Structure formats: structure tokens, C-alpha cells
Amino acid sequence: MGGIEEICTAFSGTYAGEGMALLAGLYEQIERETTLFCTEYAIACGNGCGSCCEHFMPDITALEARLVAAYLLLLKKDAHLVDSMADARKNTSGPCPLYSAESPFHCSVYPVRPLICRLFGACASGDKEGNGVFRRCRYNREETMPLHLTFGPEVVVMQDYSYALRALDSSAAKVALLPDAILEQMEQLSFLAAMVEKGGNTNPDDSPTPQAS
Ligand code: SF4
Ligand code: SF4
């Protein structure tokens, strides 16, 4: 999870940092559970495949966007990526502006990628009866995933993770297209990011910290 810990540490003690730490915990849980699920059912993506990112523009919550924004402001610092997101604002079908053929796993923000990017092709989804179903991703021409699997209601499905995300933060019910959501969070976080980068003083008006008597 390289990158997430650094960001959570940098923003710890701030309101923004609280949500980021909760989200990092959920992402860690998902990483563990999807890895187990994929191992158990022999599910893998095609070697070097990133087709979903080329044909997709995720809707994400403010909290997911905040973690990506913090990563871009504090660690990545890539002006070209910010321009790409601004250019992609009206694009609803992809490619995702964070897609990069050269990046590890083809994602420029891989350690902080949103929830759907962690789940697509890596977990079951719930059917109308509440049972789990896994269907091979339609871009997986190498057939490195089973075509169709069915489960009982005991299997954790995409919707369960989505509810868990929404339970973390009151702003999670509001979603927006990835470029809009991240650019908005970058704007909101930029002052705080500059403060934490300067040396950890996150007190916005720089008023003296009360001393114990
Ligand atoms: S989910 Fe499908 S399109 Fe995305 S990387 Fe895996 S195989 Fe490729
Ligand atoms: S954020 Fe990363 S993983 Fe998600 S769609 Fe964009 S490039 Fe793909």
C-alpha cells in the first residue's frame, strides 16, 4: 500500500486525515479479501491488461477523491496529470485520465485508486436474489478468469464494499465523475497540503497553541 501510509501520517490530526485513515483501512481489508477470493477461484487479469481503464470513467465519492487528491498534491506532483483531468471533465466514457500504459498496473495513482478499480474483475457482485455472481470481464480475451461462478449469500459482494464505503463518511453518498471529484478535492485540500508539507503546522490561522498551565 505504498503511499497511503505516508499520506495518512502527513494528514493525521486533521479532519481530512481522519476520513483518509478510515478509507485506507477499508482498502487494506479489500486487498486482503480480493486476493483470497481471486486465489481461491483462479481469477487473474490478462498479463499487462489495462483495458477497463481505457474504456471507463469511474464515478467516485468525495472521500475516495480526497485520498487521490492528497496523493497528487503531496507525492505525485504531476502537473500533466492535473491538465489531463481538466481536459477529461466532460468525458463520461473513458479513457480514465489517470490511465498510463507506463505506470505499474497502468494506473498513475495505483496505491490510492478508487474502490471500483479495486473490485472490478476481482470480486463477485450481488444478483437480485442476494446471491453472489462472478462473470468474466469482457475484455479478458486471454481467458485468465472463469467465465461464470455462482455463490450463496455468504460471499462478500461489490455492493457490500460499497455500503462499507458509504458508512465511513457522511459525504460518501455524493458521487461525481472522477476528474470533477478529484479536481474539487485538490482545490479544497491545497492549503492544508501546503501546511503539512511545510512542517506539520495544520492550524489554518497560525494562532498559538494553548499551553497547559
Ligand atoms: S478487469 Fe478486465 S480489462 Fe481490467 S485489467 Fe483485468 S482483465 Fe483487463
Ligand atoms: S483510477 Fe486508475 S485504476 Fe481506476 S480507472 Fe483510472 S486508471 Fe484505471
Side-chain angles (χ1 to χ4, degrees):
M1 300 257 285
I4 287 198
E5 293 90 344
E6 211 173 321
I7 293 166
C8 292
T9 303
F11 283 91
S12 67
T14 69
Y15 169 74
E18 269 176 40
M20 289 180 205
L22 291 171
L23 184 58
L26 177 63
Y27 284 170
E28 209 177 320
Q29 177 196 340
I30 288 172
E31 185 73 30
R32 264 195 324 272
E33 294 179 358
T34 53
T35 301
L36 275 175
F37 181 79
C38 290
T39 306
E40 187 167 356
Y41 297 103
I43 295 166
C45 289
N47 196 18
C49 183
S51 295
C52 41
C53 311
E54 289 181 79
H55 301 279
F56 179 51
M57 186 67 81
D59 275 320
I60 61 174
T61 65
L63 181 56
E64 291 170 278
R66 196 180 306 151
L67 193 57
V68 179
Y71 182 77
L72 290 170
L73 287 165
L74 234 58
L75 300 182
K76 192 85 182 176
K77 301 182 179 180
D78 183 338
H80 175 68
L81 269 185
V82 178
D83 291 344
S84 304
M85 282 192 291
D87 292 343
R89 278 195 119 146
K90 299 220 178 318
N91 177 350
T92 56
S93 57
C96 173
L98 300 174
Y99 172 75
S100 157
E102 290 79 41
S103 296
F105 308 103
H106 301 322
C107 179
S108 307
V109 298
Y110 188 76
V112 291
R113 68 200 184 285
L115 185 83
I116 185 64
C117 312
R118 296 166 188 269
L119 300 178
F120 187 72
C123 82
S125 54
D127 69 8
K128 286 185 192 141
E129 281 76 45
N131 295 313
V133 180
F134 179 87
R135 289 189 187 85
R136 181 189 295 156
C137 151
R138 67 187 160 127
Y139 302 112
N140 187 224
R141 305 236 156 78
E142 305 91 335
E143 302 186 0
T144 54
M145 298 175 177
L147 185 61
H148 190 211
L149 299 171
T150 52
F151 306 93
E154 72 285 353
V155 166
V156 184
V157 296
M158 229 179 246
Q159 291 91 329
D160 295 324
Y161 291 122
S162 195
Y163 294 137
L165 171 69
R166 280 159 198 244
L168 292 183
D169 179 281
S170 59
S171 69
K174 185 186 151 215
V175 297
L177 280 174
L178 175 142
D180 291 326
I182 295 175
L183 289 170
E184 186 183 332
Q185 288 298 318
M186 285 185 83
E187 207 177 311
Q188 289 185 17
L189 266 192
S190 59
F191 180 75
L192 188 56
M195 287 289 106
V196 299
E197 196 169 31
K198 249 171 56 184
N201 181 0
T202 51
N203 183 351
D205 61 3
D206 214 20
S207 55
T209 307
Q211 300 294 309
S213 53

